[in-house]
């Protein structure tokens, strides 16, 4: 199993890709909000058309009850048919708006997942760099410790030898 080495260039590339994913996610989120607003407007328009239809149905009912002129009744029914056609067209527009919203939501979700994936990769790379830094520090500390101990032992031996005048080569 080979251990991966942290790489500053890889880290910078991941940062750039993460930033691009964030920017693209923001752009897609704006498009999603726009699509949601269009859907809400289409639904509101259908609601208005329904109110008009209800209002004109009441007027038609009153006109028929009052025995209004046949031409007025015919015109009112014709107008209600146009409102019904507008409602059907608006329902079609609502379905299209819902489809656009669903598409934008899928795109936003995909971009969000991509962004999160880069966050995970960045965290892993940062963890790897931190681990390598700690290993270097530990190795440096061990080397320093060994060098200091050896230096201390040498200076202790030198100090002892010079103190007693023993060079270690002569014996009495």
């Amino acid at each position: 199993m080979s251990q991966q080495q942290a790489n500053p260039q890889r880290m910078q590339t991941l940062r750039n890709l993460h930033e691009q994913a964030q920017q693209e996610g923001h752009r897609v989120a704006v498009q999603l909000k726009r699509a949601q607003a269009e859907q809400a407007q289409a639904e509101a328009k259908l609601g208005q058309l329904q109110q008009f239809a209800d209002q004109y149905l009441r007027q038609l009912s009153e006109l028929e009850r009052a025995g209004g002129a046949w031409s007025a009744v015919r015109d009112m029914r014709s107008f209600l048919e146009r409102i019904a056609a507008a409602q059907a067209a608006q329902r079609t527009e609502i379905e299209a708006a819902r489809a656009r919203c669903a598409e934008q939501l899928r795109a936003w979700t995909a971009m969000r997942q991509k962004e999160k994936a880069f966050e995970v990769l960045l965290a892993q790379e940062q963890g790897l760099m931190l681990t390598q830094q700690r290993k270097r520090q530990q190795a440096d500390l061990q080397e320093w410790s060994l060098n200091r101990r050896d230096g201390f032992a040498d200076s202790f031996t030198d100090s002892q030898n010079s103190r007693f005048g023993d060079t270690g080569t002569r014996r009495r």
Side-chain angles (χ1 to χ4, degrees), residues 80-109:
L80 282 167
E81 287 174 4
R82 284 187 288 190
I83 290 177
Q87 285 176 312
Q90 197 59 33
R91 284 187 189 97
T92 301
E93 175 57 32
I94 288 171
E95 288 307 312
R98 284 182 181 157
R100 286 190 299 272
C101 277
E103 180 182 329
Q104 290 300 319
L105 182 59
R106 283 190 297 276
W108 179 81
T109 301

Side-chain angles (χ1 to χ4, degrees), residues 26 64 118:
H26 178 71
E64 288 175 335
F118 282 123

Side-chain angles (χ1 to χ4, degrees), residues 44-113:
K45 189 173 181 180
L46 179 61
Q48 288 174 338
L49 287 170
Q50 186 60 49
Q51 288 175 352
F52 289 148
D54 293 344
Q55 177 185 348
Y56 285 106
L57 277 173
R58 281 191 302 274
Q59 288 178 5
L60 176 63
S61 180
E62 290 172 12
L63 188 61
E64 288 175 335
R65 227 179 308 123
W70 178 83
S71 62
V73 171
R74 181 192 68 208
D75 289 345
M76 187 69 72
R77 285 184 179 161
S78 175
F79 187 68
L80 282 167
E81 287 174 4
R82 284 187 288 190
I83 290 177
Q87 285 176 312
Q90 197 59 33
R91 284 187 189 97
T92 301
E93 175 57 32
I94 288 171
E95 288 307 312
R98 284 182 181 157
R100 286 190 299 272
C101 277
E103 180 182 329
Q104 290 300 319
L105 182 59
R106 283 190 297 276
W108 179 81
T109 301
M111 285 309 303
R112 192 72 181 122
Q113 288 173 341

